[in-house]
Amino acid sequence: MVAESLNKDTEHLWELLREVPDPEIPAINLVELGVVRDIEKVGDLVKVTVTPTYTGCPAKQFFNSLILEKLKENGFDKVEIITKLSPAWNTDWLSDETKQKLMDEGISPPTMDDKVVTCPHCKSTNTKEVSRFGSTPCQALYSCKDCQEPFNYFKCHV
Ligand SMILES: [Zn+2]
């Protein structure tokens, strides 16, 4: 669920930002990730409201530069990025479709309390954490006790 503006002017901008993949999980884009909260156009100034997935996320700076770059490439030179930390990013902002995309990538989608982690391979919740830091700082390495497969879990907290 994205708080998408109904303004026709910004529809094209939403489309552009849908083309920006998450630097850590290229299968999903910044809009699907819920990082891009709002886009507003005031004259020729584009205001993008961004909520990072979590405040300690090292990808945070990348999000902003990726957004700026994408808009610049398409002729939008005046861009203001507004970082909004409240309400905090939460897993409800991921649609079921996005969660399924993560599963297809072998990544378990985040749950708010990090307690029940579902294996993306066999859907078992009988899983255990192997390492707090997986292939990227935002992911933890887990293994499934049922199918024995290792997988990444998309963390909500560091
Ligand atoms: Zn499994």
Side-chain angles (χ1 to χ4, degrees):
M1 280 275 287
V2 175
E4 219 160 311
S5 169
L6 294 170
N7 192 334
K8 282 265 175 219
D9 276 3
T10 58
E11 228 168 69
H12 173 60
L13 296 166
W14 281 104
E15 283 311 311
L16 287 177
L17 294 186
R18 273 182 213 283
E19 291 168 13
V20 182
D22 174 13
E24 296 196 342
I25 309 163
I28 61 173
N29 64 58
L30 296 188
V31 174
E32 287 174 314
L33 192 62
V35 163
V36 179
R37 300 310 300 158
D38 197 20
I39 305 174
E40 214 188 327
K41 212 161 168 281
V42 185
D44 56 357
L45 173 70
V46 177
K47 289 184 179 184
V48 183
T49 305
V50 166
T51 298
T53 46
Y54 60 79
T55 47
C57 182
K60 189 182 147 189
Q61 296 92 318
F62 291 117
F63 291 156
N64 292 3
S65 53
L66 289 170
I67 291 167
L68 288 172
E69 202 175 296
K70 184 72 189 178
L71 293 175
K72 206 165 193 153
E73 271 173 19
N74 288 277
F76 299 96
D77 290 323
K78 287 173 75 181
V79 180
E80 187 186 333
I81 304 236
I82 302 152
T83 304
K84 197 173 171 218
L85 298 178
S86 173
W89 182 86
N90 73 79
T91 52
D92 292 345
W93 295 358
L94 296 175
S95 67
D96 288 343
E97 194 191 343
T98 302
K99 285 178 181 165
Q100 188 54 51
K101 273 194 193 176
L102 287 170
M103 287 280 203
D104 293 344
E105 288 295 301
I107 299 167
S108 185
T111 54
M112 268 338 265
D113 54 8
D114 283 354
K115 279 195 182 98
V116 181
V117 175
T118 308
C119 169
H121 306 290
C122 71
K123 312 285 184 272
S124 165
T125 51
N126 190 13
T127 57
K128 71 168 199 298
E129 186 180 281
V130 176
S131 163
R132 197 66 193 137
F133 296 94
S135 54
T136 76
C138 295
Q139 291 171 37
L141 187 63
Y142 270 71
S143 99
C144 177
K145 290 182 195 168
D146 285 333
C147 73
Q148 313 296 329
E149 289 287 334
F151 64 91
N152 284 310
Y153 169 62
F154 183 158
K155 288 183 289 191
C156 286
H157 311 283
V158 183

